[in-house]
Amino acid sequence: MSSKKPLVIYPEYFDYRLKRSEGRKVPLSEAVKSPKVEELTGILSTLGCDFQISKACHPGNWSKTGGSLKVSADFSKTQLIHKLGSILKKLRQSN
């Protein structure tokens, strides 16, 4: 990982069952049901991003054991979240 501070990405950012106030960061058009860290790691690998899996949970959903990702990327956090969301949605629709 680079010397820059890593971006923390939680699966809750992409869960369409959550409201924006509950932690969803992408529009419903890019959201899916119950996103998994494993799905996000596959997408990050194809994007060529350096990442680490963490056991840390989303602060608003601390009782859930979903984990998170620490990502070093050349994108801003907003750009990265939208790229992940749109690719995740396409993957889910093709399966």
Side-chain angles (χ1 to χ4, degrees), residues 12-71:
E12 285 84 357
Y13 290 173
F14 310 98
D15 196 337
Y16 82 83
R17 295 176 299 168
L18 298 177
K19 298 177 187 173
R20 289 271 188 162
S21 62
E22 296 174 326
R24 181 174 49 85
K25 298 239 184 222
V26 296
L28 287 173
S29 62
E30 296 176 0
V32 296
K33 182 179 178 184
S34 301
K36 304 279 186 259
V37 170
E38 294 78 23
E39 291 173 309
L40 297 173
T41 58
I43 296 168
L44 288 169
S45 294
T46 60
L47 290 176
C49 297
D50 190 22
F51 64 90
Q52 290 179 335
I53 298 174
S54 172
K55 293 191 186 277
C57 296
H58 190 272
N61 205 4
W62 57 268
S63 63
K64 199 172 174 188
T65 58
S68 64
L69 296 164
K70 292 182 179 181
V71 182

Side-chain angles (χ1 to χ4, degrees), residues 4 7 47 49 72-81 83:
K4 269 178 37 176
L7 305 171
L47 290 176
C49 297
S72 294
D74 295 330
F75 315 113
S76 70
K77 186 170 184 172
T78 304
Q79 290 173 327
L80 180 62
I81 288 171
K83 279 183 189 264

